[in-house]
């Protein structure tokens, strides 16, 4: 069983992002000075209200900022979202996060597991180790077939 860890635990780095409106919903903008906490153009696990989902952290078209444009049910949907429902939109609505508002991104396991919460909330996460490089390489090879 995975260990539980709270969002205010000293091992959890918290990054303040800004929710911005897009033509199709919302995205989270991550400041450039926090980019070392995130892999770019990689699918990562993102916890929303206890559900472990998937998203990509992308480099902004201009500047060094990063963004999380959407969150999906599966890694495949995060890679190719055509028609898949974006869970970030509903999460922002449910938590009353408006365009221009802050969303806290908890770095639970860098480059692997992140969590979202509204400012002032405390959240508990199931913390677990990322797969070893060899296992993740095998999984990527299998997905590509």
């Amino acid at each position: 069983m995975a260990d539980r860890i709270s969002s205010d635990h000293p091992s959890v780095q918290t990054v303040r992002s800004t929710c911005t409106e897009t033509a199709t919903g919302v995205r989270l903008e991550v400041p450039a000075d926090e980019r070392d906490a995130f892999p770019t153009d990689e699918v990562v696990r993102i916890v929303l209200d206890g559900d472990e989902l998937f998203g990509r952290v992308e480099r902004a078209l201009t500047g060094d900022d990063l963004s999380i444009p959407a969150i999906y049910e599966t890694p495949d949907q995060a890679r190719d979202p055509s028609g898949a429902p974006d869970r970030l939109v509903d999460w922002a609505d449910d938590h009353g996060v408006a365009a221009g508002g802050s969303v806290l991104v908890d770095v639970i396991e860098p480059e692997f597991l992140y969590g979202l919460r509204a400012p002032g909330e405390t959240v508990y996460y199931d913390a677990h180790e990322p797969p070893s490089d060899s296992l993740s390489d095998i999984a990527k090879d299998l997905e590509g077939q």
Side-chain angles (χ1 to χ4, degrees):
M1 181 168 174
D3 291 331
R4 304 266 305 154
I5 188 168
S6 100
S7 54
D8 59 2
H9 190 274
S11 69
V12 175
Q13 175 187 354
T14 300
V15 174
R16 185 174 296 271
S17 68
T18 302
C19 183
T20 60
E21 224 172 325
T22 68
T24 57
V26 297
R27 73 184 314 126
L28 301 179
E29 301 293 336
V30 178
D33 58 342
E34 300 288 356
R35 69 177 172 259
D36 290 344
F38 301 90
T40 52
D41 298 322
E42 294 287 328
V43 173
V44 296
R45 295 167 193 259
I46 301 174
V47 178
L48 295 182
D49 294 333
D51 294 332
E52 197 169 285
L53 305 167
F54 301 88
R56 289 175 62 108
V57 181
E58 299 177 351
R59 186 173 304 280
L61 296 176
T62 58
D64 292 328
D65 289 351
L66 300 176
S67 70
I68 301 170
I71 298 174
Y72 300 99
E73 296 283 333
T74 68
D76 286 340
Q77 290 173 341
R79 286 184 199 94
D80 178 18
S82 32
D86 176 6
R87 297 275 304 268
L88 180 58
V89 174
D90 291 337
W91 182 88
D93 286 345
D94 291 347
H95 290 267
V97 178
S102 291
V103 172
L104 301 179
V105 181
D106 292 323
V107 182
I108 303 152
E109 182 65 43
E111 299 189 12
F112 177 70
L113 183 62
Y114 300 83
L116 299 186
R117 62 189 169 95
E121 289 183 346
T122 299
V123 176
Y124 292 87
Y125 301 108
D126 290 329
H128 46 84
E129 299 274 329
S132 70
D133 286 340
S134 60
L135 289 177
S136 62
D137 290 342
I138 290 169
K140 285 180 184 175
D141 289 345
L142 291 174
E143 286 176 358
Q145 294 180 2

